[in-house]
Amino acid sequence: MANILVIDDDRDIRPMMQMLLTRLGHTPAVAARGEEGFISAVNNKFDLVILDLMMPDIDGFEVTRRLRADARTKDLPILIFTARTQLPDQEGAMEAGADGYLTKPVDPRELTNKINQLLTNRPVRPALSSAQTSGPMVAATPATSLPFLANLTPPSATPAAPAPVGPLPPLTLAPTSRVSVILGLRGGAGATTLATNLAGTLSRNGKRVCLIDLSPVGSEVALQLRLRPKNTWADLPPAPDANTVGQMLVRYDTGLFILNAPTQPVRRSLSGETFHAILSGLSGFFSEIVIDGSPMLDDATMLALNVAKCALVVLTPEVVAVQMAVGTMRALNTLGILDTSLQVALNQVTPETGIPQTAVELALGRPVDLVIPFDRGQSAALTQGTPLAFIQPVSPLPTAIRSFVAKF
Amino acid sequence: MSDRPAARAIHADVFTDAHRISCRINISSMGLVALLNDNNTSMVEVEDAYFSRIQQPAKIMSHHSIAHLNKVNIPLMVLSRREDFGPSALARGGFARVIACPVLITLAAYEVKGLVEAVSKYDPSAILVGGTTRFMPVYNATATVALIPEPAYSGPVVVINRMHAISIAEIEEAKP
């Protein structure tokens, strides 16, 4: 049973919602105006707010913004329930801080499912956003207080050991740790979107996940998740120990940590020996390591591909993207990464249908392992700076990723 | 004002060249088509009208419990349910074998892509200038402001004022 506040100026909707919520075993309260609803929400303890957008005094967008700005209600789940069906409204509501969006008229089962989802799986606001009072970017802090770091020795004050000379020793990962690499050598393929959502899905499955962004041309993960990392892999010494690496991690969610790439393009990719040390250190603490690969086949990306249990090459259904993927896979073959160890994801990043899947498979000479349908919710997720897997877990993209993860 | 008894209220997004008006319209059992194509009235009374500027479509700038729209100057409306437009016989202008043609229709400020229903074959003049009705439906349609292509507004029915339509072009099906 939950306490749910319904804020709606429609005199027909309010009693209907009261009846529905009472039948579901919840305790409903109603407010007919935005201002009245906001005052009620901050002065009472509610588990969920169901909010209309079009109200005569202050509209639902503004109520959402005020609730998010108030310390008492900043984490309160908000479900928008409105007759405004257009995408800009949904994006505006998500940007204001809403957690769900349903349009009227709605199937009561859909409404019930959404309410249950928000009550049982409370949306995760980026843990770091509480420090944020204005502006869209989140000031990310190092995860120095992570529980798994508690037993480690403090970082040494002495300079790090010099980088090893010559070939790297074989990388041995903890047996409980699995590495997944998402590779999209062509910009716009959606590799980072896949990486963030894969990491989010795994963390939602109860895994302890570390997402590593290897891009030397600006951290796309940080941009997508609206992070402003203070530390990145560029700040690491050549052969860092686990404790030093841990200090560079940003905690995004319960169980999801991120090692960010530099926010600005840098001249050098992460070196193979540094990444060797990073993976060695992290594998003991994380059951899943998801790597958003560099847009080039640098040493770190090749090392990741060599130890990955799952290496996913992402392409879009366009001619150039398919040609690029064919070239990438040929290049990987010559570098010792066999086709059999790679998987292919066909990502429909626009609503326009492109080359048919059969034609893509013909060009690649192999089947596509994961097809990701176009997901309108992704634009809202980007606006909100949260993986779609967190805010709309049943929409097409997270659903496809969940099915893929189930085959792991 | 129509003297038909109001059967129910529907929600509509009315788009002018500069504004988006999200409102409630009381319609009779003959649907919105009967109200819009009623030549005896020039205005449409809408309730709970929320005005936004077209360049900030999600930002509500004004609310009015009653507003009146001049039908002649409404370029298009987006409805969220197909049945809101009206009974299919009335919407199509009679009973006939109809085919759905994918088209692009341009207005002064908007581009609309969707399906229009044509009798027997695609006939641009019958669609745009035939008959006496002012408003026509485009099904499963997406409307875009020509100067601000993002975002697009989509719905099961986009209602177009034919007097504002400038061009129509059939969209050829992609060859397999």
Side-chain angles (χ1 to χ4, degrees):
Chain A
M1 177 186 272
N3 293 320
I4 298 177
L5 173 64
V6 178
I7 309 175
D8 200 316
D9 66 320
D10 190 327
R11 70 171 80 90
D12 297 327
I13 293 286
R14 290 195 303 271
M16 187 203 80
M17 293 296 291
Q18 274 186 306
M19 190 171 66
L20 176 76
L21 294 171
T22 307
R23 275 189 189 172
L24 293 174
H26 303 304
T27 307
V30 294
R33 292 284 184 272
E35 184 75 42
E36 176 194 346
F38 171 70
I39 292 169
S40 178
V42 294
N43 290 325
N44 297 285
K45 179 76 179 164
F46 289 109
D47 301 300
L48 175 69
V49 170
I50 299 175
L51 175 64
D52 188 14
L53 282 183
M54 294 191 286
M55 290 181 290
D57 54 345
I58 55 172
D59 60 58
F61 299 109
E62 183 58 27
V63 174
T64 306
R65 274 189 285 271
R66 290 188 189 182
L67 289 173
R68 285 291 168 257
D70 193 298
R72 291 165 289 183
T73 53
K74 68 180 174 59
D75 292 323
L76 179 61
I78 300 173
L79 172 61
I80 300 293
F81 187 46
T82 178
R84 291 172 80 98
T85 57
Q86 298 300 323
L87 190 59
D89 304 314
Q90 186 171 353
E91 288 174 345
M94 295 314 230
E95 192 173 1
D99 300 302
Y101 195 96
L102 283 179
T103 56
K104 301 173 188 172
V106 70
D107 183 333
R109 284 170 298 184
E110 192 183 352
L111 180 61
T112 305
N113 288 343
K114 195 73 187 175
I115 290 169
N116 290 340
Q117 180 198 330
L118 287 173
L119 288 174
T120 56
N121 190 14
R122 280 177 77 102
V124 175
R125 228 148 294 293
L128 309 160
S129 63
S130 55
Q132 175 198 15
T133 52
S134 63
M137 300 292 280
V138 177
T141 50
T144 47
S145 58
L146 305 184
F148 70 85
L149 292 173
N151 298 329
L152 294 172
T153 54
S156 167
T158 56
V165 179
L168 294 169
L171 177 59
T172 310
L173 300 177
T176 53
S177 185
R178 174 172 47 195
V179 174
S180 305
V181 183
I182 313 295
L183 200 59
L185 296 193
R186 184 164 184 256
T192 302
T193 300
L194 276 192
T196 54
N197 280 284
L198 175 61
T201 301
L202 290 168
S203 81
R204 281 299 166 94
N205 286 354
K207 309 280 187 184
R208 179 175 280 177
V209 185
C210 184
L211 171 60
I212 302 176
D213 184 354
L214 288 182
S215 172
V217 292
S219 175
E220 292 182 28
V221 169
L223 287 173
Q224 278 204 8
L225 301 182
R226 301 280 181 101
L227 301 172
R228 196 159 47 199
K230 288 179 181 169
N231 297 307
T232 70
W233 50 250
D235 302 309
L236 285 168
D241 58 19
N243 196 16
T244 312
V245 177
Q247 290 185 343
M248 300 295 159
L249 298 181
V250 167
R251 182 179 193 154
Y252 182 77
D253 180 27
T254 311
L256 175 56
F257 299 81
I258 299 171
L259 177 59
N260 280 289
T263 52
Q264 303 290 327
V266 290
R267 294 179 62 189
R268 284 185 148 182
S269 300
L270 180 62
S271 72
E273 56 266 35
T274 306
F275 192 52
H276 187 283
I278 290 171
L279 282 182
S280 301
L282 294 181
S283 77
F285 300 105
F286 292 98
S287 55
E288 298 282 354
I289 298 176
V290 178
I291 297 168
D292 183 14
S294 160
M296 58 188 106
L297 299 178
D298 52 25
D299 289 351
T301 301
M302 290 308 298
L303 180 60
L305 287 168
N306 271 305
V307 296
K309 292 267 174 57
C310 166
L312 202 55
V313 177
V314 187
L315 70 153
T316 52
E318 307 162 73
V319 174
V320 178
V322 175
Q323 289 172 331
M324 189 91 180
V326 171
T328 301
M329 295 180 87
R330 278 188 194 147
L332 288 173
N333 285 344
T334 55
L335 291 168
I337 308 290
L338 299 177
D339 261 3
T340 48
S341 62
L342 297 171
Q343 292 181 291
V344 174
L346 185 62
N347 191 10
Q348 184 76 46
V349 293
T350 63
E352 286 81 31
T353 49
I355 301 174
Q357 183 184 341
T358 48
V360 173
E361 290 177 336
L362 199 64
L364 294 174
R366 55 163 298 153
V368 168
D369 302 282
L370 169 63
V371 177
I372 298 162
F374 173 68
D375 197 325
R376 288 189 179 280
Q378 179 55 18
S379 57
L382 288 175
T383 308
Q384 200 177 341
T386 309
L388 194 58
F390 284 5
I391 58 173
Q392 293 179 26
V394 292
S395 66
L397 192 153
T399 303
I401 291 178
R402 248 194 334 275
S403 321
F404 182 68
V405 166
K407 296 177 197 162
F408 264 26
Chain B
M1 286 290 298
S2 169
D3 55 0
R4 289 191 187 94
R8 61 196 173 96
I10 62 164
H11 178 268
D13 271 317
V14 181
F15 289 87
T16 71
D17 292 349
H19 294 96
R20 171 191 181 187
I21 306 162
S22 293
C23 56
R24 204 169 56 230
I25 306 176
N26 289 314
I27 59 169
S28 70
S29 57
M30 305 303 278
L32 181 65
V33 60
L35 180 63
L36 292 177
N37 287 329
D38 180 358
N39 290 327
N40 296 314
T41 59
S42 301
M43 307 290 283
V44 180
E45 183 180 283
V46 300
E47 296 177 352
D48 251 347
Y50 290 83
F51 286 71
S52 306
R53 295 191 181 93
I54 204 72
Q55 66 271 27
Q56 291 178 301
K59 184 176 167 63
I60 295 169
M61 66 169 211
S62 180
H63 166 257
H64 303 274
S65 52
I66 299 284
H68 291 87
L69 312 180
N70 186 354
K71 285 200 273 190
V72 176
N73 290 328
I74 299 172
L76 63 88
M77 289 183 173
V78 180
L79 307 183
S80 51
R81 293 190 305 177
R82 186 166 173 149
E83 59 266 33
D84 290 347
F85 187 62
S88 52
L90 197 61
R92 290 170 185 160
F95 291 98
R97 179 178 174 276
V98 291
I99 54 169
C101 308
V103 293
L104 166 69
I105 297 177
T106 63
L107 294 80
Y110 292 92
E111 300 153 3
V112 180
K113 277 184 185 172
L115 299 170
V116 293
E117 291 187 332
V119 178
S120 301
K121 63 177 179 135
Y122 170 69
D123 180 355
S125 63
I127 294 168
L128 279 197
V129 293
T132 56
T133 56
R134 184 185 295 276
F135 289 90
M136 61 171 275
V138 184
Y139 296 111
N140 298 337
T142 300
T144 311
V145 184
L147 296 178
I148 317 167
E150 289 286 336
Y153 306 92
S154 55
V157 185
V158 169
V159 184
I160 290 180
N161 186 334
R162 298 198 303 168
M163 306 304 128
H164 287 240
I166 294 170
S167 71
I168 181 169
E170 197 173 12
I171 299 171
E172 292 172 12
E173 298 289 346
K175 301 284 185 296

